[in-house]
Amino acid sequence: MSIAGSDKGAGTRPAAVFLDRDGTLIEDRGHLREPSQVVFFPRAVQALAALQRRFRLFIVTNQSGVAGGMVAMTEVRRVNRHVVDTLHASGVTLAEVYVCPHHRDDGCACIKPNSYFPQKAAREHGIDLSRSYSVGDHPCDVELGTRFGGQGLYVLTGHGRKHRSELPDGTVIVEDLQSAADWILSHRPADDGRE
Ligand SMILES: [Mg+2]
Ligand SMILES: [Zn+2]
């Protein structure tokens, strides 16, 4: 009797979507200090529910307000825990929430668009970055996908409209996270790179 799936080997590593938090998944209301300030975008949870059928989901967030003293790391963690728990209650699982707490002038390794956290996900979760995506409302979120060898998408929620003119030519621009999910799910891996 053959066992389905027993021939799994190379090429079966999971792909991932690396999501920005503020302005992409939830409303950007400045430096969030408590769970009551979290407001999910209307179609965000559905979008993640659709994506997780084919991708592992991660949040990668720059929280320079920690370095600037506007918000404490414990507050960032509490807000992130609320985001994780709320999604989990809706059937959506986040693999990790990665936070860079530094200021851009600190010259740290982990601030986006550096691919530090996606590389960590590749090592610790076996993610195939070449088939993975980043999504966010800032040019650095798109650049992140380019840096890790995948594809970045830009959303027009949050600060998206404000920074739109700073994007490189050819950037994939979509209305919101649901539209990003639709775009990603309509592009099979074999079609990647043809945009
Ligand atoms: Mg953002
Ligand atoms: Zn950092």
Side-chain angles (χ1 to χ4, degrees):
M1 194 194 325
S2 67
I3 299 167
S6 62
D7 59 347
K8 277 187 181 173
T12 59
R13 286 185 299 151
V17 179
F18 296 94
L19 303 146
D20 175 48
R21 194 191 78 178
D22 304 337
T24 302
L25 180 58
I26 63 176
E27 287 184 13
D28 190 336
R29 298 186 161 191
H31 303 288
L32 300 189
R33 301 182 61 182
E34 51 180 284
S36 64
Q37 296 173 298
V38 172
V39 179
F40 283 85
F41 283 116
R43 306 193 299 164
V45 178
Q46 294 162 248
L48 299 192
L51 283 172
Q52 75 172 357
R53 291 190 220 114
R54 279 180 47 193
F55 297 90
R56 301 285 167 83
L57 304 177
F58 294 83
I59 287 177
V60 185
T61 178
N62 288 350
Q63 295 293 328
S64 62
V66 176
M70 281 83 82
V71 57
M73 194 60 192
T74 51
E75 294 170 321
V76 171
R77 287 210 187 92
R78 200 180 313 138
V79 168
N80 289 344
R81 171 51 53 191
H82 174 74
V83 169
V84 167
D85 289 348
T86 302
L87 290 173
H88 194 255
S90 300
V92 172
T93 302
L94 291 177
E96 300 270 2
V97 180
Y98 294 125
V99 179
C100 165
H102 308 111
H103 192 272
R104 192 163 296 284
D105 294 343
D106 296 344
C108 71
C110 55
I111 198 166
K112 291 181 286 187
N114 293 333
S115 61
Y116 178 90
F117 286 127
Q119 301 292 349
K120 186 174 162 74
R123 285 195 308 274
E124 297 179 0
H125 294 266
I127 301 300
D128 179 357
L129 295 178
S130 71
R131 290 164 41 237
S132 296
Y133 297 85
S134 63
V135 181
D137 69 322
H138 193 275
C140 75
D141 297 310
V142 176
E143 175 68 14
L144 178 70
T146 306
R147 294 263 187 110
F148 69 62
Q151 164 87 57
L153 278 78
Y154 190 78
V155 291
L156 293 174
T157 48
H159 291 175
R161 292 185 196 283
K162 187 165 79 183
H163 294 289
R164 187 176 188 164
S165 62
E166 302 163 27
L167 296 169
D169 288 346
T171 299
V172 177
I173 301 170
V174 293
E175 194 60 35
D176 60 9
L177 187 53
Q178 177 72 56
S179 305
D182 292 344
W183 191 97
I184 289 168
L185 292 170
S186 67
H187 286 71
R188 291 174 298 128
D191 296 333
D192 285 353
R194 287 175 53 187
E195 293 310 302

